[in-house]
Amino acid sequence: MISVEEAQKIILDEIKQTAPEKVLLSQALNRTLAEDIRSPLDHPPWDTSAMDGYAIRISDTASASKSTPVHLTVIEEIPAGKLPQKILGKGEAAKIMTGAPLPKGAEAVVKVEETATDGEGVHIYTPSENGEYIRLQGEAVRAGDAVLKKGTGIRSAEIAMMASVGKSVVPVFQQPRIAVLSTGDELADLDEPRGLDKILNSNGYGLAAQVAEAGGIPVTLGIAKDSKEDLKTKITIGLTSDFLLISGGVSMGDYDFVLEVLESLGVTMRLWKVAMKPGKPVAFGTFQGRPVFGLPGNPVSSMVTFEEFVRPAILKASGRDKIFRPMLTAILSEDIEKRPGRRQFLRAVVSVENGEYKVCSTGDQGSAILMSLVKANALMILPEAGEIIKAGEKVTVQMLSEITA
Ligand code: AMP
Ligand code: MG
């Protein structure tokens, strides 16, 4: 059986980037940049006041103190959004607001708390250093700078940055369309009448949600029966999407026809069975360059194999520079006995105690026990070799979601 890394390599080698497209900045959240973003302008566009106060020449206020203030003539008021009309001369000050452009001749801004007005002018109580409380033109961003790199995932900070340099239309990679097909005679869909011999199709919904979280567009194909004919019909539809995910029917059971049907339709199978728990029977192939995943039917196995193999593939297809979840080291808070053989992905809760990461499992780890994932914010990764890992030892964890206090 091949290792998780070998399987990831086989899969990722087959993944091609989607084509770029342009979207409105307001629609770009969570997408991936398809080009570097360069600023056409300096930011700030002029030297700007960083305080509400008075723009001054530093030689005028060099002797200023609380007991012997310097008196300056106020020649104009510059609110934010107005350009200065005058040049500051000797003995002069301009009242200025935060973000307003600095008048020519000014060398510093004295904040309003260090001044007092008397109707004709302003008393300054303190000397200033050259450049004090001034934001220089281009200090944040210079015209021509690459402010964001191709491959960056767009968060709110990237949206604000692009807005600040006037980028209203953004080049991003297209979102891959990912077909999701559930298989099994025992499955019924939500809200459809069902007999006592049926279970609900949770994988169809869980996988579609994982696709959306990873930035793909889920295309739900519902349920295929465990018959070659029905599988053929629905898989044929699925093969028109960028990716196809099939859950169930990839084990050794008498009704597990998925791999046979995939091959009969011309899918080239590249791997089957990975040394991991849960998720051993995962399968992967390609059809005309498009990835096809056979994920094990057990609800936890399908979601964990999605995490390890499908999510990085979707992110790679979407042009993302970082495609793996963050890994960190945490201190185990219980003893765990790990049998030798496959790498194990225990559903786990990571918390922070006294500034250190702690981790414990979420309890019953059966591969049909969805509650183990509901309670989890991480996967604890136990290496292939078997051993007893004691409370207090360090283990590797893969974060799935935030650490909540
Ligand atoms: P299979 O991989 O088809 O042998 O399925 C393994 C187990 O997962 C069986 O107990 C199935 O009933 C269950 N299962 C398969 N597909 C789904 C699904 N879409 N939703 C929930 N459980 C499923
Ligand atoms: Mg089945």
Side-chain angles (χ1 to χ4, degrees), residues 182-183 186-187 199-204 247-249 251 256 296-299:
S182 305
T183 73
E186 76 281 28
L187 299 179
I199 62 162
L200 290 166
N201 170 23
S202 61
N203 294 357
S247 88
S251 294
D256 289 340
N298 272 308

Side-chain angles (χ1 to χ4, degrees), residues 255-329:
Y255 300 94
D256 289 340
F257 299 132
V258 167
L259 297 183
E260 188 185 325
V261 169
L262 286 175
E263 292 200 294
S264 77
L265 289 171
V267 176
T268 310
M269 295 314 296
R270 314 228 170 220
L271 71 89
W272 183 44
K273 290 189 179 168
V274 178
M276 64 188 294
K277 186 184 172 169
K280 181 171 97 174
V282 66
F284 173 76
T286 52
F287 178 75
Q288 297 171 356
R290 292 183 216 127
V292 179
F293 292 84
L295 305 180
N298 272 308
V300 175
S301 313
S302 97
M303 296 194 89
V304 169
T305 49
F306 181 97
E307 265 300 326
E308 301 311 313
F309 304 117
V310 187
R311 184 177 184 277
I314 293 176
L315 288 172
K316 183 171 178 194
S318 314
R320 196 61 72 90
D321 54 357
K322 296 194 177 68
I323 62 173
F324 292 108
R325 296 275 201 193
M327 298 279 199
L328 49 91
T329 303

